Amino acid sequence: MTLRIYNTLRRTKEEFRPIEEGKVRMYVCGPTVYNYIHIGNGRPVIVFDVVRRYLESIGYQVTYVVNFTDVDDKMIQRAKLEGSTVPEIAERYIAAFLEDSRKLGVKNTIHPRVTENMEEIIAFISGLVEKGYAYESGGDVYFLTSKFAEYGKLSQQKLEELQFGIRIEVDERKRGAEDFVLWKGAKPGEIAWPSPWGDGRPGWHIECSAMAKKYLGDTIDIHGGGQDLIFPHHECEVAQSEALNGEPLANYWMHNGFLNMNNEKMSKSIGNVMNVRDILAAARPQEFRFMMLSTHYRNPLNYNDEVLSQAKNSLERLDNCVTNLKHRLKGAAEGAADAEVVAFVETAAQTFAAKMDDDFNTPDALTAMFTLAADANRYLQKPEVTKASLEAIVAQFSAMDEVLGVLAGEAEELVDAEIEVLIIERGEARKAKNWARADEIRDLLTAQGIVLEDTPQGMRWKRK
C-alpha cells in the first residue's frame, strides 16, 4: 500500500507525496510552558512521535519541529503569582516537558523557542505590514483578516459567518472584529522586546508561522496539533503565512481528537485535569503510550483508571511473549527458520504496514502485534524450536516497536539484566546450601514483582 493521510484541509484521506523525495518536513504545535503538561497535551506528543517514527521506518529523513511558547499572558500571570520571572517559569517547565517526553520514549526533536526567534517574528510581521495585510494601531499590530480571501478554508467556515458569530466587545483599535493580534504593546512592568511599533511581544499565532518558515521553509509537508487548534490558531497561521509567502503553509494538516476524563471534558473549573507526570508516578510510560495508541488518533479518547489498567494487562501479554522468546533462545537449536514462522512473521509485517499506511491506524497495528504474539506462543509450545525462527519473531517485534514504542525499553532491559544476575546468584547460593542468601534474593525479587518458574529449559522469570 501507499501511505495515505487524512488531510483536515480537504476532509479526506490523500496519498502522501512529500515536497522533496525521501524527506519530510514536519511541524507540530508545542506547549505553552507555564505548567506541567496534562494528559490532553500528552496525546499529540505521543501521536506525532509515532507518525515521525513510522515515516522514518519506511525510509524518510524527517525534520521534526515542536515549538515552545515561552512568553505569553499565562506565563506573565504565573510569574506575578509566584514572584518569579517569565524566563524562570519557562526554564522550569521546559525542563519538565523534556523529562516527561523522555520517559514517554519520544525521540529527539528540534524545539525552537519564541524568545530565541524574536528577530524572525518581527521581520515576518513587518513583511505583512508592507504587503498591506497588517496594520499598527495604538502600539499593537493586527492582521487584516478581510484582505485574505481564503480565511476560513482550514476550518471550513466563511468569514461572514465568523463575523456574525463574534460576541466580544468592540475594540476600536481594530478595523474588523475578526482581526487578530500579531504584536502586543507591552504594559508597564511586562517583559518586552523592541520593535518598529514599540516595545512588546508577539501574539500567539504569529510565532508558529515565523518558526515554521525559519526551520522548515515556506511550505512544509505536515503540520500537526490537536483538534482544538484548527480554529483559530491554525486558521490564523494559514492566513498570515500564505499572505506573506504566497505559497501553501502545509500540504497535509493532521489533528488528533479530544481527550476526556471519565467521559467529561477536562476542565480546571471541575478539577478533572491530570498531569502526565502524575500518571507516570503510578504507571509505566509504555502503558500510557499503549493506552494513547489503542484509539485512532482522530477519534476521541476517554481516560479513566480502568482504561489504563486494561492497557497494563494487554501490554503484559506482549512483554511476556517477548520474554519467553528470548528465554527459549538460550537453548534453541541451530538451523533455518521454520516455514510456518517465516509465513506468520511475513503476514504480521505486511498487516502492520498496511494498517500504518492507512492514516496511521495504531489500534489495528497493535492488533497485528497481538496476532504475532498468539502465533509465537503456539510455536513456543513445540518441544524443539530453532534459533533462526525465534530471532525472526523477536526481530519483527522490534521492528513494530521501533514505531509504536510500547514494549520494555532500554531502562527496563537494564533492570532485566540485574534480575538475571540475581537469579544466577540465587542458583549458586542454593548449590552451596547458602539458604539464607537464596531466601534473601527470592524475597528481593518477590518485592519487585518477579515470579520465578522452573521450565525444561531452566529457571525463567516474569513480572506479575
Side-chain angles (χ1 to χ4, degrees):
M1 288 182 63
T2 301
L3 174 61
R4 295 174 63 81
I5 298 176
Y6 184 87
N7 192 345
T8 305
L9 181 64
R10 284 178 279 275
R11 301 299 196 271
T12 188
K13 291 180 187 177
E14 299 177 347
E15 181 179 342
F16 179 65
R17 297 180 182 275
I19 298 168
E20 186 177 354
E21 186 68 28
K23 296 183 179 181
V24 176
R25 287 173 279 180
M26 185 173 172
Y27 187 99
V28 175
C29 290
T32 300
V33 287
Y34 72 102
N35 205 340
Y36 299 114
I37 59 169
H38 57 67
I39 58 176
N41 306 136
R43 191 174 192 190
V45 168
I46 292 171
V47 162
F48 292 105
D49 177 60
V50 169
V51 170
R52 182 257 194 100
R53 283 168 172 250
Y54 185 64
L55 289 168
E56 290 180 338
S57 77
I58 58 177
Y60 287 108
Q61 178 185 331
V62 181
T63 304
Y64 185 52
V65 177
V66 178
N67 71 295
F68 286 137
T69 299
D70 61 344
V71 60
D72 88 327
D73 292 340
K74 292 178 181 177
M75 299 193 65
I76 291 172
Q77 293 168 5
R78 186 65 180 256
K80 288 180 179 178
L81 183 65
E82 295 186 5
S84 183
T85 67
V86 169
E88 288 171 346
I89 297 292
E91 289 301 325
R92 182 195 314 162
Y93 291 112
I94 285 174
F97 175 89
L98 294 174
E99 179 184 359
D100 292 342
S101 296
R102 178 186 57 78
K103 289 180 179 178
L104 290 171
V106 176
K107 299 187 68 175
N108 290 337
T109 305
I110 299 170
H111 286 299
R113 306 185 187 191
V114 173
T115 58
E116 295 174 349
N117 290 275
M118 205 60 67
E119 181 179 342
E120 289 79 8
I121 292 171
I122 292 172
F124 198 110
I125 298 172
S126 296
L128 289 171
V129 172
E130 291 171 7
K131 285 193 167 190
Y133 282 100
Y135 59 93
E136 186 271 339
S137 178
D140 296 337
V141 181
Y142 297 94
F143 185 85
L144 185 59
T145 307
S146 60
K147 186 176 175 63
F148 186 72
E150 293 186 290
Y151 190 82
K153 67 179 181 179
L154 180 63
S155 57
Q156 297 193 352
Q157 302 179 77
K158 295 181 179 179
L159 182 57
E160 305 80 51
E161 296 171 351
L162 292 171
Q163 291 169 331
F164 179 77
I166 292 175
R167 295 191 178 98
I168 58 175
E169 291 184 22
V170 176
D171 188 337
E172 294 181 353
R173 294 173 299 172
K174 296 165 65 173
R175 297 180 188 175
E178 72 282 357
D179 293 350
F180 56 90
V181 67
L182 302 174
W183 185 261
K184 292 184 174 184
K187 297 176 182 177
E190 288 186 345
I191 186 171
W193 287 260
S195 81
W197 319 285
D199 290 353
R201 65 182 187 280
W204 178 34
H205 311 307
I206 192 65
E207 64 183 68
C208 289
S209 286
M211 289 189 281
K213 180 180 177 70
K214 175 182 177 180
Y215 289 90
L216 299 172
D218 290 352
T219 301
I220 65 178
D221 293 294
I222 298 173
H223 197 313
Q227 284 183 3
D228 58 312
L229 298 182
I230 296 175
F231 185 86
H233 185 52
H234 287 168
E235 193 71 73
C236 294
E237 279 189 59
V238 169
Q240 60 203 11
S241 290
E242 297 186 7
L244 180 68
N245 301 325
E247 301 287 343
L249 170 55
N251 288 338
Y252 301 86
W253 286 87
M254 296 180 64
H255 294 92
N256 64 268
F258 292 105
L259 190 144
N260 297 321
M261 291 285 291
N262 292 310
N263 296 310
E264 289 186 308
K265 182 178 179 181
M266 282 195 302
S267 171
K268 291 181 180 178
S269 62
I270 61 176
N272 67 345
V273 177
M274 182 175 288
N275 293 332
V276 168
R277 58 179 40 210
D278 293 332
I279 295 175
L280 296 186
R284 294 168 57 216
Q286 293 88 346
E287 294 163 8
F288 186 67
R289 275 186 77 107
F290 185 98
M291 180 203 70
M292 287 288 188
L293 301 178
S294 61
T295 297
H296 191 278
Y297 79 88
R298 285 193 286 113
N299 293 336
L301 173 63
N302 185 56
Y303 173 84
N304 54 47
D305 291 341
E306 183 181 351
V307 171
L308 190 59
S309 178
Q310 290 172 353
K312 176 182 179 180
N313 293 335
S314 296
L315 193 52
E316 282 180 354
R317 289 163 53 196
L318 294 177
D319 283 335
N320 286 339
C321 178
V322 175
T323 298
N324 291 339
L325 289 164
K326 292 179 178 179
H327 179 71
R328 288 293 297 275
L329 266 170
K330 298 173 184 177
E334 297 293 338
D338 293 336
E340 65 173 297
V341 172
V342 173
F344 71 64
V345 165
E346 180 61 24
T347 297
Q350 291 176 355
T351 302
F352 184 87
K355 299 306 180 182
M356 291 300 293
D357 279 343
D358 184 16
D359 193 32
F360 309 100
N361 189 338
T362 56
D364 285 357
L366 285 168
T367 298
M369 292 186 78
F370 281 105
T371 301
L372 177 61
D375 289 334
N377 286 333
R378 282 192 291 272
Y379 180 70
L380 286 171
Q381 297 302 312
K382 293 189 172 186
E384 294 292 333
V385 295
T386 67
K387 182 179 179 181
S389 294
L390 300 178
E391 289 176 338
I393 302 170
V394 170
Q396 184 55 43
F397 271 119
S398 296
M400 292 171 162
D401 196 57
E402 184 61 29
V403 173
L404 301 181
V406 295
L407 299 180
E410 291 182 6
E412 286 194 316
E413 291 295 339
L414 293 176
V415 174
D416 292 355
E418 293 169 359
I419 292 169
E420 295 284 358
V421 169
L422 287 170
I423 290 173
I424 292 172
E425 183 183 349
R426 180 173 180 267
E428 292 174 348
R430 286 168 62 89
K431 288 180 181 177
K433 296 184 179 182
N434 185 350
W435 308 118
R437 178 56 180 162
D439 290 344
E440 181 183 2
I441 294 173
R442 180 201 61 203
D443 293 341
L444 176 62
L445 294 172
T446 300
Q448 292 190 15
I450 304 303
V451 178
L452 301 180
E453 296 178 343
D454 283 314
T455 73
Q457 291 78 35
M459 180 64 69
R460 55 153 288 177
W461 63 271
K462 67 178 182 180
R463 290 184 172 85
K464 289 182 181 178

